[in-house]
């Protein structure tokens, strides 16, 4: 396989596709939301997740001020709303969630909204904040999580295209996961088998 040099400014894209999430925050009675694919689980005990947010973003300002945020997992069915949230600043619109056609639902454990149209949501309290160059890395302790039962029962069940999480490839490009598979032991060998939708 031939390889070519990749510009360092584009090197981060080699680690994508990353699952797109919507990070929601709230400050002084105003909700905000942004799309992000720079996120990951950090610890199971305590349950910690991290998100990287550009220092200049309104979301970073809100999270620093309040110490809380939510991580919401959208499905393919709301991709246009997700893209809007990733390309329009909350500084330019009065109510970004309303402009995107998304419904905020008050968090039960944190003062930041969950998003009704999303497949799942995690309510987080900031555990620690790290300087990540032009981004802050917020590590959040998950204090409550929820998911639609038809798509998640201990693992994702991707039966309908509209309910599949979306991955970001860079810019306006996204990827919808293909056939779900499982690795199984069969006759003493590992095999890959498709899962039913």
């Amino acid at each position: 396989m031939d390889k070519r040099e990749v510009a360092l400014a584009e090197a981060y894209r080699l680690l994508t596709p990353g699952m797109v999430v919507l990070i929601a925050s709230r400050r002084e009675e105003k909700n905000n939301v942004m799309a992000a694919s720079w996120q990951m689980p950090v610890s199971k005990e305590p349950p910690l997740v991290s998100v990287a947010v550009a220092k200049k973003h309104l979301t970073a300002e809100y999270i620093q001020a309040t110490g809380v945020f939510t991580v919401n997992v959208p499905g393919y069915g709301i991709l246009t709303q997700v893209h809007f949230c990733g390309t329009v600043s909350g500084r330019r619109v009065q109510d970004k969630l309303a402009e995107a056609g998304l419904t905020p639902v008050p968090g039960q454990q944190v003062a930041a909204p969950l998003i009704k149209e999303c497949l799942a949501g995690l309510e987080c309290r900031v555990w620690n904040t790290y300087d990540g160059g032009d981004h802050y890395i917020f590590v959040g302790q998950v204090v409550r999580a929820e998911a639609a039962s038809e798509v998640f029962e201990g693992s994702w069940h991707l039966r309908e295209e509209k309910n599949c999480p979306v991955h970001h490839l860079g810019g306006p490009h996204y990827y919808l996961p293909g056939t779900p598979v499982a690795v199984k032991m069969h006759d003493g060998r590992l095999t890959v088998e498709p899962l039913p939708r």
Side-chain angles (χ1 to χ4, degrees):
M1 185 177 301
D2 290 335
K3 296 192 171 98
R4 67 171 182 82
E5 191 83 16
V6 174
L8 293 181
E10 295 177 353
Y12 74 93
R13 287 193 174 165
L14 296 173
L15 300 178
T16 58
M19 187 168 76
V20 177
V21 297
L22 293 174
I23 302 170
S25 54
R26 180 177 177 85
R27 182 180 185 196
E28 298 173 359
E29 307 304 313
K30 184 180 177 190
N31 292 325
N32 190 49
V33 62
M34 67 169 276
S37 60
W38 294 7
Q39 47 73 29
M40 70 176 188
V42 174
S43 168
K44 288 171 67 175
E45 187 54 47
L48 302 175
V49 296
S50 69
V51 295
V53 180
K55 291 177 178 178
K56 66 182 180 180
H57 285 336
L58 187 61
T59 296
E61 182 181 311
Y62 279 22
I63 293 172
Q64 284 189 305
T66 65
V68 298
F69 60 96
T70 64
V71 179
N72 301 271
V73 181
Y76 177 68
I78 62 168
L79 182 57
T80 55
Q81 291 100 312
V82 170
H83 187 73
F84 175 87
C85 292
T87 56
V88 174
S89 170
R91 297 183 200 282
R92 291 188 14 218
V93 295
Q94 181 63 30
D95 186 338
K96 194 169 172 182
L97 282 161
E99 291 274 340
L102 297 172
T103 311
V105 177
Q108 292 184 24
Q109 297 295 320
V110 301
L114 293 161
I115 299 172
K116 180 180 177 182
E117 292 80 7
C118 284
L119 306 171
L122 295 87
E123 298 180 38
C124 302
R125 288 195 179 102
V126 174
W127 174 275
N128 214 331
T129 303
Y130 298 93
D131 187 330
D134 59 359
H135 282 60
Y136 290 118
I137 300 167
F138 295 109
V139 176
Q141 180 172 4
V142 180
V143 294
R144 182 177 176 276
E146 64 180 28
S149 56
E150 65 266 24
V151 298
F152 189 86
E153 295 172 19
S155 65
W156 287 99
H157 298 280
L158 307 178
R159 295 181 182 98
E160 292 183 65
E161 187 175 82
K162 70 176 183 166
N163 290 335
C164 288
V166 178
H167 294 258
H168 187 237
L169 297 174
H173 305 285
Y174 298 86
Y175 175 75
L176 188 62
T179 305
V181 297
V183 176
K184 297 183 179 182
M185 183 65 75
H186 188 72
D187 293 332
R189 291 183 49 218
L190 292 175
T191 61
V192 178
E193 300 175 15
L195 290 171
R197 281 229 183 226

